[in-house]
Amino acid sequence: MKFFIDTANLSDIAEAQALGVLDGVTTNPSLMAKEGITGEANILAHYQNICDLVKGDVSAEVISTDFDGMVKEGEALAALHPQIVVKLPMIAAGVKACKYFSNKGIRTNVTLVFSAGQALLAAKAGATYVSPFLGRLDDISTDGLNLIAEIRLIYDNYGFETQILAASIRHTMHVIDCAKLGSDVMTGPLSSITGLLKHPLTDIGLAKFLEDYKKGNH
Ligand code: G3P
C-alpha cells in the first residue's frame, strides 16, 4: 500500500518524507490556498518545491472545467516535472481529458469520485489513479469504506490497472480499513500517518527496557 500525504504544507511533507514511508503527495486548490499559495507562478513554483522534497508522484490539480482548458493546464503541469500527475475532476470534460492524457502517456488522478459508476468511468478513460473521497461520504452518513470495497471488486473483475487512491482520509482507522480492503494508495494528513505509530504498550515497554538496562549497567 502506498502512503501519500494530502497537503501542500512543506514542513508536513518533509516530516513524512523523513520518516521514510512516504510514496507521494496529493494537493488540491483548497490545500494550496490554505498555505497561502496563490497566483499561477507561485503555484507552479510550489509544485516544483514539493517535487524537490519527495521522490514519488505529486498530484497537481487543474482548475479549468472545459476540455481545452484542462488539456492546456495539464500539459503545462506535466511538463513542469516528471513526478507530476495531472489531477482532473470527475466531470464529462475531466473524463475526456483523462482519455486524452492517457493516450499521450501522461499520468492522471481523477478526483471528486463519490460513486462506483464514476470510478468505472475513470478506469475506462485510463486514469492512473482514482480518488474516492471517504471522509466526505462519511460526513453525509454514507459508508465511504463501502465505496472502496465496490471499486476494488469492479476493478478486480476486469483487471483494470487504475490504482484506487483512497482520499479524504481523516484518521488512522480509515488507513487501516482501506488497507484491509485492498486500496492501492491512501492519502491523508500527516496525523493519519504518524498516528499509526502510537500504542501505549510500546511506550510502557520501551520505558521498562531502558529502566532495566540502566539497572544492569550502572
Ligand atoms: O484528497 C482529497 C482531500 O483533500 C479531501 O479531503 O478532508 O477535505 O475531505 P477533505
Side-chain angles (χ1 to χ4, degrees), residues 21-42:
V21 298
L22 192 66
D23 300 298
V25 177
T26 51
T27 62
N28 62 38
S30 305
L31 293 170
M32 293 296 260
K34 191 175 163 196
E35 299 307 317
I37 315 293
T38 54
E40 196 186 336
N42 290 333

Side-chain angles (χ1 to χ4, degrees), residues 7-162:
T7 185
N9 183 286
L10 295 180
S11 103
D12 281 4
I13 294 168
E15 192 176 333
Q17 175 70 27
L19 198 57
V21 298
L22 192 66
D23 300 298
V25 177
T26 51
T27 62
N28 62 38
S30 305
L31 293 170
M32 293 296 260
K34 191 175 163 196
E35 299 307 317
I37 315 293
T38 54
E40 196 186 336
N42 290 333
I43 289 171
L44 293 181
H46 202 68
Y47 285 137
Q48 182 68 52
N49 290 336
I50 294 173
C51 289
D52 289 344
L53 265 180
V54 298
K55 289 207 174 67
D57 288 350
V58 175
S59 286
E61 187 159 343
V62 301
I63 46 144
S64 300
T65 54
D66 64 296
F67 174 75
D68 291 338
M70 285 182 184
V71 165
K72 191 167 168 230
E73 256 190 88
E75 284 181 340
L77 288 168
L80 193 65
H81 199 284
Q83 285 168 241
I84 295 280
V85 174
V86 179
K87 201 171 179 189
L88 301 159
M90 174 35 81
I91 56 175
V95 173
K96 200 172 154 192
C98 179
K99 185 66 184 171
Y100 170 88
F101 287 124
S102 165
N103 286 340
K104 290 192 77 176
I106 291 175
R107 290 170 308 135
T108 52
N109 175 358
V110 175
T111 188
L112 289 166
V113 166
F114 293 94
S115 77
Q118 291 178 325
L120 182 54
L121 268 182
K124 290 282 293 171
T128 312
Y129 297 104
V130 65
S131 289
F133 277 29
L134 260 82
R136 291 192 194 184
L137 281 171
D138 288 355
D139 286 346
I140 57 159
S141 311
T142 302
D143 186 356
L145 287 169
N146 183 53
L147 176 59
I148 301 294
E150 284 186 323
I151 301 173
R152 181 74 285 155
L153 176 68
I154 291 168
Y155 283 10
D156 288 350
N157 278 349
Y158 296 97
F160 283 121
E161 287 178 7
T162 300

